[in-house]
Structures are given as C-alpha cells and as structure tokens.
Amino acid sequence: MATRPRPPVIAGNWKMYKTIAEAVSFLEALKPKVRDTTHCEIVVAPPFTALRAVASAADGSNIRVAGQDVAPEKEGAYTGDISAPMLREAGCTHVIIGHSERRQYHQETDEDVNRKIRAALEAGLTPIVCVGETLDERERNQTEKVLKRQFAGGFKGLTGQEVSPIIIAYEPVWAIGTGRTATPETAEESHRLLRELVNGRFGKESSQQTRILYGGSVKPENIRKLMEQQDIDGALVGGASLNADSFSAIVHYD
Ligand code: PEP
C-alpha cells in the first residue's frame, strides 16, 4: 500500500461489553499480535469500569486507551458522569465524543459535543469526534447538510491548533452494527467533504493533519478497500473490535 499522508488510527469501541476480567484477557491476547505494529496507532475504548485495568495491562505497549464519553465539566454534582481529568487519571489518552448512540439515546447535541471536546483538550486527551447521517437523512439527500451542521456546531470556536490533533470519525448511522458498510467510494465522498470543511474553517495545515476514520460495520474483510481511499485514515470499529483475532486482523489491514 502506498505511503500515507497521515499516521492511520485503528480504534475499537467496546460499548457496554466486557467485564474487567474479560477486558484484561483481551489485552493479553491482543498485545503479542500487535507487538511489532508501527504502521498505525491502536486505541481501545473499554467501558468505564475496565479503563484502569486495561490501561495497566496496556502499559509499555503500543495500545492506547480511550473513554467512550466524557462530561463537559471538571467536577461537580453530576451523578453518573466522568470528567476528563478522571479519564486521564485512569490512564486514557483518547476519548470518543458524540457517538451516534450518545446522540440518539442521551439526546446529545452538537453544543454538548463542543463542550466535551473543549473539556477533553483541556485535560490533554485526544478527542475522537463522531459525526454521521441517519438512513432517513441519507435517503432525503441530507448527508452534506447534516455533516456541515455537526461540524460547525461541534468545532465551534476552536482554533486550527486545537483541531489538528483531533480525530474525526465519520460513522453513517445506518452502517453501525447493521452489517451494512458504506462502499469505500461513498465513505470517501463524506471524508473528502469533512476534510474540505476542516480546510475551509481552520486552514490547509489542519486539514492535512486531522485524521478522519471511517466507522460502520468495519471487518477484516472490508478494511483493506476502505484504507485504499485517500481521505480514510483508519477505522472506528464496534462489533469486530470485541474479538482479539478480528481486531488484530483489522489492525493488520496492510
Ligand atoms: C461503532 O459503534 O462505532 C461502530 C462503528 O460499530 P460497528 O463496527 O459494530 O458497526
């Protein structure tokens, strides 16, 4: 595969799966499989309860750990929430923000996403910011409009310097957990649009640095074709990230 303009990222979103013991044994299984991997960054996002144990198991390896969500505030009377400094303390380097399941089941808005991005950046966490249209929006030809709205709201008031290290995940909602992947060409269209939006708002340097991952039923069988696209810099993987063999096969897409 040709040399890539940006270091790729393969990230696994475990959602509400895995006990602490299961999470640690996943790590022990994954580590030897990716020990020599240098062509991409590897991130796993366990549930909150397993973060500390996974971070300890990943210590000294090339596997980084992400939270699946973050509170916009640092501390306070917010029952059930976890702040960015708490994620840092637990050993996270990254955090997923604005996943469509958070938007759908917890009514997260673009403004919430914006506040969470700021909180993550302030704590030194790399945000993985999810955007993407629903099936209904795609069928009504609203994809571009939705991505523009999510981008404008989520990235409001940020500087180019802040945006460059942010990872964007384009996740068409109709492809998440459905087994229906966007074709590489369809995904690339949205990735190109997102990179143009970064370029228009934050300049060329940021647009060339920002990694844009694809998410939605990524599997060992389809990752290679997706990674051949110029603006696809990696993947955010749900279901196929729960098994160390399939996740490592995705990591070894090349
Ligand atoms: C996700 O939850 O971010 C995701 C892309 O899930 P799946 O790979 O299972 O579609």
Side-chain angles (χ1 to χ4, degrees):
M1 205 168 276
T3 45
R4 306 192 61 92
R6 293 163 286 279
V9 180
I10 302 291
N13 172 17
W14 294 356
K15 312 193 185 195
M16 200 170 70
Y17 292 103
K18 293 196 190 295
T19 62
I20 296 173
E22 288 165 348
V24 170
S25 72
F26 176 102
L27 253 283
E28 296 311 333
L30 181 66
K31 276 195 290 187
K33 294 180 196 298
V34 300
R35 186 168 289 138
D36 300 325
T37 299
T38 52
H39 67 276
C40 70
E41 296 168 17
I42 305 167
V43 183
V44 293
F48 286 135
T49 46
L51 283 176
R52 182 67 232 157
V54 169
S56 298
D59 199 26
S61 78
N62 52 353
I63 302 166
R64 301 285 167 266
V65 181
Q68 295 178 15
D69 181 36
V70 64
E73 294 83 11
K74 273 203 192 96
E75 61 178 5
Y78 301 103
T79 304
D81 284 351
I82 308 284
S83 73
M86 289 168 180
L87 290 179
R88 276 295 294 231
E89 189 195 24
C92 293
T93 49
H94 294 67
V95 61
I96 298 172
I97 295 174
H99 191 279
S100 60
E101 287 153 15
R102 303 282 325 164
R103 293 179 188 259
Q104 186 183 351
Y105 304 133
H106 299 269
Q107 290 73 48
E108 277 192 12
T109 63
D110 295 325
E111 196 192 327
D112 296 326
V113 169
N114 183 256
R115 293 177 65 218
K116 290 178 178 202
I117 293 174
R118 289 165 186 274
L121 291 173
E122 201 187 317
L125 291 166
T126 301
I128 302 175
V129 181
C130 303
V131 294
E133 79 287 0
T134 62
L135 182 59
D136 178 58
E137 288 161 344
R138 172 157 287 267
E139 284 174 346
R140 287 189 289 113
N141 286 322
Q142 302 279 299
T143 301
E144 186 170 331
K145 188 172 158 201
V146 169
L147 293 180
K148 282 184 172 165
R149 190 200 68 222
Q150 291 175 334
F151 177 81
F155 289 77
K156 192 172 173 184
L158 299 178
T159 64
Q161 227 183 342
E162 286 170 323
V163 168
S164 300
I166 291 179
I167 298 170
I168 299 174
Y170 169 61
E171 299 209 307
V173 180
W174 47 271
I176 296 181
T178 58
R180 224 182 124 180
T181 326
T183 63
E185 295 72 24
T186 304
E188 172 65 11
E189 248 176 59
S190 295
H191 282 237
R192 200 176 315 124
L193 167 68
L194 286 163
R195 201 172 304 286
E196 275 165 23
L197 292 175
V198 178
N199 184 23
R201 176 89 174 70
F202 300 104
K204 193 162 179 204
E205 210 182 308
S206 295
S207 77
Q208 284 175 348
Q209 285 176 17
T210 301
R211 271 83 60 85
I212 308 179
L213 315 186
Y214 169 78
S217 298
V218 171
K219 309 238 172 320
E221 302 77 51
N222 57 26
I223 181 70
R224 199 183 158 84
K225 285 262 174 286
L226 287 161
M227 292 303 289
E228 279 170 7
Q229 302 298 316
Q230 198 181 328
D231 290 292
I232 299 187
D233 304 311
L236 180 56
V237 187
S241 75
L242 291 169
N243 173 285
D245 285 334
S246 60
F247 188 59
S248 88
I250 293 170
V251 167
H252 294 298
Y253 64 83
D254 62 336

